[in-house]
Amino acid sequence: MKKTPFTDIHIALGAKMHEFAGFNMPIEYPTGIIDEHLTVRNRVGVFDVSHMGEFWVKGEHATEFLQKITSNNVAALSPGKIQYTCFPNGKGGIVDDLLCYCFENQKYMLVVNAGNIEKDWEWCNRHNTEGAILENSSDNIAQLAVQGSKATELLQTLTDINLSEIEYYNFVVGRFANVDNVIISNTGYTGAGGFELYFYPENAQKIWDALFEAGKNFGLKPIGLGARDTLRLEAGFCLYGNDIDDSHSPIEAGLGWITKFVDNKNFIDRPLLEKQKNEGTARRLVKFVLIERGIPRYGYEIFNEDGQRIGEVTSGMMLPQTKQGIGMGYVLSDYVKIGTKIQIGIRDKKITAEIVKGFM
């Protein structure tokens, strides 16, 4: 298994380790997932996300290439701006979802999911008929996500950059914890607020130590992938491989807002996705809460009130705060209205749930 610059630290801290996307990653620490989840919601936590992939896209045809291969409108970006987007797969599905960072005109960084690095790299190279300059820097960039209500206050003690001036989905490059050239990005996967930090692996220990020294006054704790998943689900964020994949389109997944049908953007799958937007789809991704006690899990069947199968669960959990079951899943489009009652098949029972707009 691959290691991140922090793997030995996680092991020394007693983390439960497991393979994820080819990396030896911390799933949870001794205090457990619920404690870690609540730490991020109420204070601040730090995630090692150095397993994520980073591709540089440069050269005079960089924007043209990205306009073709991604669903969002790259031309709307200016330096310091970030975009959430996806790679349509040419068959009505999604190769991956990703972030696109604009550093300057014709210079971008793509941040892709760890489990899709090789697939995404092959996809980008195969479709690079424009001649953009592509560079896979995944092994040369480390990343920490500092998330929670006290994240900004903590991070501000380690930089002279005014973090409150960095708007959501914006970034700067500067000095952090006495390390130069750190990308400080107002993004995250928890819905709790905070920043993501990108830096060279040789500076990993220095930044980790600085964070935890400063974090003593803020209740900072390391957070594993288990709580990362519960936090993102509570925030309503999709997970590739569960809620979005090669067999579901961004329109079906409720990602029409990152699928832009603007002039001079003839991206992959545009005709099909534009048709779906105009005519609708047979299924849609919804969020639901269980009215009765239970925990929905990936793959569980979803039924209407008459007991007819209408879909399946893609993500599910029990909220640590309320002990209420929540989840997401694809259902027939007749059942997507907020307030609609559905049933989740859990073992040999059908548990009543209700379609909701969100969980937070």
Side-chain angles (χ1 to χ4, degrees), residues 11-28:
I11 294 172
L13 290 172
K16 178 182 178 181
M17 306 293 290
H18 198 274
E19 185 275 335
F20 181 81
F23 286 81
N24 191 16
M25 297 295 293
I27 304 303
E28 61 180 296

Side-chain angles (χ1 to χ4, degrees), residues 4-6 137-142 199-206:
T4 79
F6 305 102
S137 291
S138 303
D139 293 335
N140 299 317
I141 298 176
F199 44 88
Y200 293 114
E202 55 263 33
N203 294 317
Q205 184 74 55
K206 183 175 182 179

Side-chain angles (χ1 to χ4, degrees), residues 234-291:
E234 185 181 37
F237 296 143
C238 291
L239 174 65
Y240 191 88
N242 283 50
D243 315 300
I244 51 177
D245 55 32
D246 278 300
S247 63
H248 294 90
S249 80
I251 304 301
E252 292 176 313
L255 297 177
W257 60 279
I258 67 165
T259 310
K260 301 297 174 60
F261 306 105
V262 297
D263 293 339
N264 301 316
K265 181 175 171 60
N266 297 313
F267 62 95
I268 293 170
D269 271 346
R270 172 166 178 160
L272 172 60
L273 297 179
E274 201 160 15
K275 182 179 180 181
Q276 288 185 351
K277 182 177 181 180
N278 293 331
E279 299 180 4
T281 58
R283 58 188 178 181
R284 289 293 299 269
L285 184 67
V286 297
K287 302 177 179 69
F288 61 84
V289 298
L290 268 59
I291 295 174

Side-chain angles (χ1 to χ4, degrees), residues 18 33 39-40 61 118 130 188 198 211 254 277 289 353:
H18 198 274
I33 292 175
T39 292
V40 174
H61 300 293
E118 291 184 10
E130 291 74 19
Y198 300 81
L211 279 170
K277 182 177 181 180
V289 298

